[in-house]
């Protein structure tokens, strides 16, 4: 029910915008996170947006470069990635949990996962 898209090949310093769209699930009152998994490495959390008030959180290595946002009209969450580095190369996944009637950010468990989209940063 979650569909991640927008990955591709980009040169260092370039930008991409990932999208996480949902079917059968309303995202505005869910907590959404983006994760990534690079080859040979464990999955790591990249960014979170909270349910109900859209507070955001970022992993240190992407602060100032990535922006997570939500468009309720399109039922979609985005991850705008700027100043991309080769170390950002990974499969990116979106995950959601909810719905919640209160503010939740970066929950420990997620009931919904997207299928992943590959981001390759290389010259």
């Amino acid at each position: 029910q979650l569909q991640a898209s927008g990955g591709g090949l980009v040169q260092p310093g370039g930008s991409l915008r990932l999208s996480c769209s949902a079917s059968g699930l309303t995202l505005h009152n869910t907590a959404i996170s983006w994760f990534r998994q690079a080859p040979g490495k464990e999955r790591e959390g990249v960014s979170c947006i909270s349910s109900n008030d859209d507070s955001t959180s970022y992993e240190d290595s992407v602060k100032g470069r990535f922006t997570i946002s939500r468009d309720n009209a399109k039922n979609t969450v985005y991850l705008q990635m700027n100043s991309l580095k080769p170390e950002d190369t990974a499969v990116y996944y979106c995950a959601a949990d909810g719905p919640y009637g209160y503010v939740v950010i970066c929950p420990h468990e997620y009931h919904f996962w997207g299928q992943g989209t590959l981001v390759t940063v290389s010259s």
Side-chain angles (χ1 to χ4, degrees), residues 2-5 18-22 27 32 34 75-78 94-95 114:
L2 290 181
Q3 179 78 27
S5 61
L18 305 184
S19 299
C20 178
S21 58
L27 295 184
I32 310 291
W34 284 96
N75 206 32
T76 300
V77 170
Y78 302 100
C94 59

Side-chain angles (χ1 to χ4, degrees), residues 2-25:
L2 290 181
Q3 179 78 27
S5 61
L9 173 64
V10 63
Q11 293 186 343
S15 298
L16 282 175
R17 187 178 76 162
L18 305 184
S19 299
C20 178
S21 58
S23 59
L25 175 68

Side-chain angles (χ1 to χ4, degrees), residues 77-92:
V77 170
Y78 302 100
L79 185 69
Q80 178 67 43
M81 306 187 296
N82 299 329
S83 302
L84 283 161
K85 304 175 181 180
E87 51 264 44
D88 295 317
T89 295
V91 177
Y92 284 71

